[in-house]
């Protein structure tokens, strides 16, 4: 893991994250103009960062947040579509990979169903390599239709990449799912706002450490008339230490080099902090000392996960018993969100 230079190498993947200023738009024409602005930024960044292999833009950087539902449905994208073709042109011209936010992507039953919050990983030929739909929309504010799975793709120079979005990153399960599928870099694109800055900076570092995985976070900056976005886009090493981190500035950029060989060596040879290996080889020292073999225990010891898989509805009721029975709360009601269980199922 290297930070401070503008180059890269056959082993080191040059990754840039952008504190993109949250745009506020209302029409398809404005969205496409913003896409061209992003494309121009990519081409300019490549001049200053000749080693850049991958550039990452935040959640909402393409469309902004459409606070008007009519505008949101009218500007919803198809993938591939006009927006992605603009990005593809710049990726080809700059010879870089890119991660781009589409908020939203049209549902298969558009406009009868809510749109998806989607990220794409695009290669330097302008081809879409991964399309990820946000699994954990930020309820109660976000109304995205939830996605249902994570992916791992071969990224630039063969680095294995997973995409997640914003509130997804508050759930350790999603990081673990990506890492256990083989992800070496988890990219978290955010449109995160105050007051949650400290928690989100901490979460990226903690999940990098817990999953022996590189983390790249691209977060929005600025004020869009509703929320103030805290930036702090960052690149984190698989040991949980930050390589580079932006401040709160609009359009800030951080850049770092991620070694493929180093993370693969660590996952093979780390012992006391090899969290992925140890999770499925629990207590192997004690088993050796007890003359019961040298592999440890592979069985899942966590009742919650067993119950969730076997009985999701029953597990939901158990969680409601220690939290609340309805999705909304009577003490802080939000229009359109039911505050009683009966209304939820109406």
């Amino acid at each position: 893991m290297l930070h401070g230079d503008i180059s890269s190498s056959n082993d080191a993947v040059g990754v840039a994250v952008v504190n993109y200023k949250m745009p506020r738009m209302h029409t398809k024409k404005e969205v496409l103009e913003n896409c061209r602005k992003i494309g121009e930024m990519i081409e300019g960044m490549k001049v200053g960062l000749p080693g850049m292999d991958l550039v990452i833009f935040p959640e909402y950087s393409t469309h902004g947040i459409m606070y008007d539902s009519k505008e949101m449905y009218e500007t919803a994208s198809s993938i591939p579509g006009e927006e992605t073709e603009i990005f593809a042109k710049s990726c080809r011209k700059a010879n870089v990979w890119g991660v781009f936010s589409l908020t939203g992507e049209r549902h298969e039953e558009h406009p009868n169903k809510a749109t998806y919050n989607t990220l794409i990983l695009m290669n330097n030929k302008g081809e879409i390599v991964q399309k990820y739909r946000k699994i954990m929309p930020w309820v109660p504010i976000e109304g995205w239709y939830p996605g249902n799975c994570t992916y791992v793709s071969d990224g630039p120079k063969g680095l294995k990449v997973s995409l997640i979005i914003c509130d997804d990153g508050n759930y350790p399960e999603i990081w673990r799912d990506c890492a256990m599928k083989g992800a070496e870099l988890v990219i978290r694109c955010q449109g995160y706002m105050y007051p949650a800055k400290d928690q989100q900076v901490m979460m990226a570092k903690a999940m990098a450490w817990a999953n022996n995985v590189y983390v790249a976070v691209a977060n929005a900056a600025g004020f869009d008339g509703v929320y103030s976005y805290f930036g702090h886009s960052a690149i984190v090493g698989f040991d949980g230490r930050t390589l580079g981190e932006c401040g709160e500035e609009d359009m800030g950029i951080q850049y770092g080099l991620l070694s493929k060989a180093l993370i693969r060596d660590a996952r093979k040879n780390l012992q006391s902090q090899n969290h992925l290996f140890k999770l499925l080889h629990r207590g192997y020292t004690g088993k050796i000392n007890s003359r019961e073999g040298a592999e440890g225990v592979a069985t899942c010891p966590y009742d919650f996960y067993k119950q969730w898989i076997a009985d999701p509805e029953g597990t939901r009721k158990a969680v409601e018993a220690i939290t609340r029975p309805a999705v909304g709360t009577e003490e802080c009601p939000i229009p359109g969100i039911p505050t009683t269980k009966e209304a939820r199922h109406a």
Side-chain angles (χ1 to χ4, degrees), residues 18-27 30-35 37-38 57-67 71 87 101 103 190-191 219-227 229 250-251:
V18 181
N19 261 16
Y20 200 76
K21 186 181 186 302
M22 180 66 80
R24 184 72 182 272
M25 295 170 292
H26 306 278
T27 67
E30 291 174 330
V31 170
L32 294 178
E33 288 174 352
N34 184 55
C35 289
K37 179 181 175 183
I38 290 172
F57 288 87
E59 180 190 30
Y60 293 113
S61 53
T62 300
H63 291 83
I65 297 180
M66 299 284 180
Y67 294 100
E71 293 176 352
F87 298 146
S101 169
T103 50
Q190 302 176 179
N219 191 41
F223 177 64
D224 70 350
V226 177
Y227 289 116
Y229 304 88
D250 294 348
M251 302 305 189

Side-chain angles (χ1 to χ4, degrees), residues 43-322:
E43 294 168 29
M45 289 173 66
K46 182 66 173 183
V47 174
L49 298 168
M52 184 173 72
D53 298 304
L54 172 64
V55 59
I56 303 165
F57 288 87
E59 180 190 30
Y60 293 113
S61 53
T62 300
H63 291 83
I65 297 180
M66 299 284 180
Y67 294 100
D68 181 282
S69 60
K70 181 174 181 291
E71 293 176 352
M72 182 184 74
Y73 278 82
E74 289 176 349
T75 59
S77 300
S78 298
I79 300 175
E82 293 177 272
E83 298 86 352
T84 61
E85 183 50 42
I86 292 170
F87 298 146
K89 181 179 178 181
S90 292
C91 285
R92 289 191 293 265
K93 185 173 181 180
N95 190 31
V96 299
W97 293 56
V99 174
F100 306 104
S101 169
L102 284 304
T103 50
E105 178 201 2
R106 293 186 174 201
H107 192 280
E108 292 82 357
E109 298 181 36
H110 182 82
N112 298 319
K113 294 288 181 70
T115 52
Y116 297 104
N117 182 335
T118 302
L119 285 181
I120 60 167
L121 172 65
M122 179 175 283
N123 68 18
N124 57 345
K125 297 177 182 178
E127 300 164 338
I128 297 171
V129 174
Q130 184 177 140
K131 182 175 80 169
Y132 169 75
R133 292 167 169 171
K134 191 173 187 178
I135 290 176
M136 300 295 298
W138 190 58
V139 294
I141 301 299
E142 290 183 345
W144 308 115
Y145 202 91
N148 61 7
C149 62
T150 63
Y151 305 90
V152 176
S153 305
D154 288 339
K157 298 175 180 173
L159 188 71
K160 297 186 180 300
V161 176
S162 285
L163 307 178
I164 68 173
I165 304 174
C166 203
D167 196 39
D168 284 338
N170 291 317
Y171 302 86
E173 293 81 3
I174 196 167
W175 298 91
R176 188 74 83 196
D177 195 59
C178 294
M180 286 301 190
K181 286 179 176 177
E184 297 165 321
L185 168 63
V186 177
I187 294 171
R188 184 188 189 192
C189 296
Q190 302 176 179
Y192 239 121
M193 65 293 287
Y194 285 100
K197 183 193 82 171
D198 290 347
Q199 293 88 339
Q200 301 316 316
V201 171
M202 173 183 65
M203 199 67 185
K205 293 163 68 72
M207 292 298 98
W209 168 249
N211 292 285
N212 306 127
V213 68
Y214 291 121
V215 172
V217 176
N219 191 41
F223 177 64
D224 70 350
V226 177
Y227 289 116
S228 176
Y229 304 88
F230 54 75
H232 283 267
S233 298
I235 300 168
V236 184
F238 59 81
D239 60 0
R241 293 184 291 180
T242 301
L243 295 179
E245 183 177 330
C246 294
E248 301 172 9
E249 71 277 8
D250 294 348
M251 302 305 189
I253 298 167
Q254 268 292 355
Y255 179 75
L257 307 179
L258 307 184
S259 167
K260 295 178 296 178
L262 190 59
I263 189 171
R264 293 169 188 177
D265 178 76
R267 286 184 171 183
K268 180 179 179 181
N269 291 306
L270 288 183
Q271 297 198 46
S272 63
Q273 308 301 344
N274 196 325
H275 306 122
L276 303 184
F277 182 84
K278 290 168 65 180
L279 190 64
L280 274 295
H281 297 78
R282 293 189 296 111
Y284 64 78
T285 309
K287 296 285 279 186
I288 291 169
N289 291 342
S290 301
R291 296 173 295 283
E292 294 182 6
E295 293 188 342
V297 180
T299 306
C300 176
Y302 308 114
D303 290 342
F304 168 71
Y305 292 107
K306 297 176 187 176
Q307 293 166 0
W308 190 4
I309 296 299
D311 182 14
E313 287 299 325
T315 307
R316 173 152 62 184
K317 292 177 182 177
V319 170
E320 289 176 349
I322 61 173

Side-chain angles (χ1 to χ4, degrees), residues 325-339:
V327 293
T329 72
E330 294 181 355
E331 295 184 20
C332 185
I334 295 175
I337 307 297
T339 58

